[in-house]
Amino acid sequence: MRAHRQTAILIVCILVVGFLSTGSAIRAQDSLLSFTGSVGGRVKSRSHSLVLEAPSVVDVSLDWSNGTANLDLVLRDPEGTIVASARTSRRPEHLIHETQSPGTWKVVVKTRKGSSSYSVAVGIVVIPIPEPTESPPPPRGTRGRVGT
């Protein structure tokens, strides 16, 4: 789990450096979050909310303690539609998704088999909006001329 979390953090850092190198500003809401919980028995799934104020890249990883359990990871948009998922039999589960709209997104952890406590790591990088640039004025003496 530790190596996977470091990989997720490295991916987020690379994205940040890439955005910085383009000259675009990174907003203060870029962040790393974590959630913990447990699923199994009567509790088949748990959801955790992410409030995104702008389009973002969301990098989510899920690891769990019981090696015989099988948990799945799902990302739902503000309308409740599944937009990304990781549903393998291996752990940890991992997904990256570029969100297009602000709102309250849900990270859902589901049990497919067994029960286990789990931890979720989420990296959020806001997609920078390019600064508007002013167009240079037209060259003098060309105003109103067509086809010259």
Side-chain angles (χ1 to χ4, degrees):
M1 180 174 125
R2 185 176 184 168
H4 188 68
R5 186 173 289 166
Q6 289 172 339
T7 301
I9 291 170
L10 177 62
I11 290 169
V12 171
C13 290
I14 289 169
L15 290 171
V16 169
V17 169
F19 289 145
L20 287 175
S21 68
T22 63
S24 301
I26 298 296
R27 295 193 175 94
Q29 67 194 43
D30 295 344
S31 59
L32 295 173
L33 306 171
S34 63
F35 305 106
T36 58
S38 61
V39 290
R42 292 186 187 165
V43 180
K44 299 297 181 193
S45 68
R46 290 208 186 267
S47 65
H48 305 277
S49 297
L50 300 174
V51 178
L52 303 177
E53 295 180 8
S56 305
V57 175
V58 179
D59 182 329
V60 186
S61 64
L62 163 68
D63 203 355
W64 56 95
S65 59
N66 181 353
T68 62
N70 184 4
L71 306 187
D72 292 335
L73 179 62
V74 173
L75 181 65
R76 292 184 179 271
D77 69 11
E79 288 76 41
T81 303
I82 295 174
V83 295
S85 63
R87 300 176 185 193
T88 69
S89 59
R90 298 178 314 271
R91 61 183 248 231
E93 296 283 15
H94 181 245
L95 64 85
I96 297 175
H97 183 73
E98 184 176 320
T99 68
Q100 297 299 315
S101 60
T104 302
W105 292 67
K106 300 281 186 185
V107 173
V108 182
V109 177
K110 296 182 174 187
T111 180
R112 185 183 302 182
K113 175 182 136 188
S115 61
S116 184
S117 58
Y118 64 83
S119 62
V120 176
V122 182
I124 301 169
V125 176
V126 174
I127 299 171
I129 299 170
E131 297 289 327
T133 58
E134 291 185 29
S135 299
R140 292 184 156 218
T142 60
R143 185 183 237 171
R145 294 186 188 169
V146 177
T148 57

